[in-house]
Amino acid sequence: MKPVKVNPLVRLILSWLSRWRFKPKSFSFAQKVKECQTVLICMPADVDRFIMARDMLSEFADLFHTQKIFILLPFLGAEGYLSSSSRYEVICIQRNDLNIFSLPRKKFIQKLRERKFDVSLNLDLGDGFFNCYLCLKCRIPLRIGTKRKNAFPLYNIQLEVTKDRFGSRGKYEGMAKALRCLFSENRAPMLSTI
């Protein structure tokens, strides 16, 4: 299992271009959550974090229990590390899905666009550029990830994981708790336009 690593220079250029060219639109978070039918959960590219995120996957899947869930594995040769279930379908990346810079090819992006994802959740606590870039190119309207430098426009909802949470498991538990609060039916109508 080999993580997809985007060329650092290409990543820098694409991050800069994305911020320059991307024109964000205002939206109602509550409305987006209410209309959500399809969710893409992007797993971390770090193997240790992948194992922890995989162990917590049921917690994240429970947040979207009425939606169709897809899990993206940002690895080459990852078949068999996570199997599709009745709760979600796994998307594995093949070498021919990537170009020479390890960026997703147009054909792969188009294949994902056809699934019409409404929400993406990036569980990569590190750089996670491949996941972020793919979600932006797929035009997923609600892109959620952890707060980090230069995260906008790659994410339009950023979760800040508190420093008192040690280790990846604690951070994932914090993310799940924050998302439960955001997606709870009692709080969603109170959220304003972002």
Side-chain angles (χ1 to χ4, degrees):
M1 190 162 80
K2 180 182 172 192
V4 176
K5 297 280 187 185
V6 177
N7 180 297
L9 181 60
V10 171
R11 183 176 65 202
L12 180 69
I13 292 167
L14 289 175
S15 291
W16 182 81
L17 282 174
S18 295
R19 282 192 299 279
W20 182 68
R21 291 189 327 186
F22 184 72
K23 305 291 184 230
K25 297 177 183 175
S26 296
F27 62 89
S28 166
F29 180 81
Q31 190 67 27
K32 289 287 182 197
V33 170
K34 184 178 177 184
E35 295 171 350
C36 176
Q37 294 181 10
T38 313
V39 176
L40 177 65
I41 298 177
C42 302
M43 296 298 281
D46 176 87
V47 176
D48 292 332
R49 287 184 175 152
F50 170 80
I51 293 168
M52 287 183 203
R54 183 190 62 196
D55 292 345
M56 297 250 342
L57 198 52
S58 62
E59 297 264 339
F60 293 107
D62 288 345
L63 295 168
F64 306 105
H65 61 278
T66 60
Q67 289 83 13
K68 177 82 173 141
I69 302 170
F70 293 86
I71 309 295
L72 176 73
L73 301 182
F75 300 98
L76 294 174
E79 296 81 1
Y81 282 90
L82 185 65
S83 300
S84 294
S85 72
S86 60
R87 297 182 76 188
Y88 51 79
E89 183 180 327
V90 175
I91 300 170
C92 293
I93 299 169
Q94 305 301 321
R95 182 73 217 148
N96 61 351
D97 294 329
L98 306 175
N99 66 20
I100 194 168
F101 300 111
S102 294
L103 292 170
R105 292 184 188 269
K106 288 181 182 180
K107 187 176 178 182
F108 183 65
I109 291 170
Q110 185 57 39
K111 186 171 85 171
L112 292 182
R113 276 187 193 165
E114 290 170 3
R115 297 184 184 196
K116 298 181 177 160
F117 297 116
D118 300 302
V119 174
S120 68
L121 172 61
N122 190 358
L123 297 180
D124 201 326
L125 301 176
D127 181 273
F129 181 80
F130 179 82
N131 291 346
C132 301
Y133 182 74
L134 181 66
C135 293
L136 184 66
K137 294 301 280 184
C138 288
R139 299 182 186 143
I140 300 174
L142 187 58
R143 299 175 307 280
I144 304 169
T146 55
K147 184 178 179 181
R148 63 183 177 87
K149 185 180 176 183
N150 299 324
F152 184 81
L154 302 173
Y155 302 140
N156 50 12
I157 301 289
Q158 297 179 52
L159 302 174
E160 184 167 8
V161 181
T162 58
K163 291 182 171 68
D164 66 336
R165 295 218 176 247
F166 295 108
S168 297
R169 178 142 185 115
K171 290 177 182 178
Y172 287 129
E173 289 169 351
M175 284 178 72
K177 183 178 179 181
L179 289 168
R180 272 192 296 277
C181 290
L182 281 174
F183 292 134
S184 72
E185 293 175 335
N186 297 332
R187 302 247 345 242
M190 295 188 292
L191 295 172
S192 61
T193 301
I194 296 173

